[in-house]
Amino acid sequence: AARMAAPTRQERAACWGARDEFWQCLDRRGDGAAECGELRRAFEERCPQQWVKHFDKRRDFLKYKKKLETEGYVPPEAAGK
């Protein structure tokens, strides 16, 4: 599956669908949940590897952002007090 061609619209839709299902599972079960392993594999199979890396980073970023919004920014020096 080492195709260099850009994914077709169907392939992109399949990739995004797999990603969304995987992310929903993580949201429900918690990151790293074993129950989501199957969905993770589907996500990796349906998406180009570059995209998988990108979406993993994106999810981390979105989680970080959400954490900032809910908990606020805690400067490192204030955390120890």
Side-chain angles (χ1 to χ4, degrees):
R3 285 197 325 271
M4 291 310 290
T8 64
R9 205 160 71 211
Q10 283 93 340
E11 288 169 331
R12 284 199 304 271
C15 169
W16 292 332
R19 174 203 63 191
D20 292 346
E21 280 179 38
F22 173 55
W23 283 12
Q24 280 165 9
C25 181
L26 293 181
D27 289 343
R28 283 196 307 271
R29 309 258 186 224
D31 285 349
E35 299 94 327
C36 303
E38 197 78 9
L39 293 170
R40 171 78 196 183
R41 279 190 292 280
F43 167 52
E44 288 179 357
E45 278 168 20
R46 293 192 186 127
C47 299
Q49 201 182 1
Q50 273 317 107
W51 291 23
V52 170
K53 284 184 187 145
H54 168 77
F55 287 139
D56 284 346
K57 284 196 188 106
R58 177 111 186 103
R59 182 170 168 82
D60 287 342
F61 171 74
L62 292 172
K63 277 191 345 215
Y64 174 70
K65 215 175 107 184
K66 193 175 185 176
K67 190 177 165 172
L68 288 183
E69 285 162 9
T70 52
E71 298 170 20
Y73 175 69
V74 180
E77 66 273 9
K81 292 188 179 131

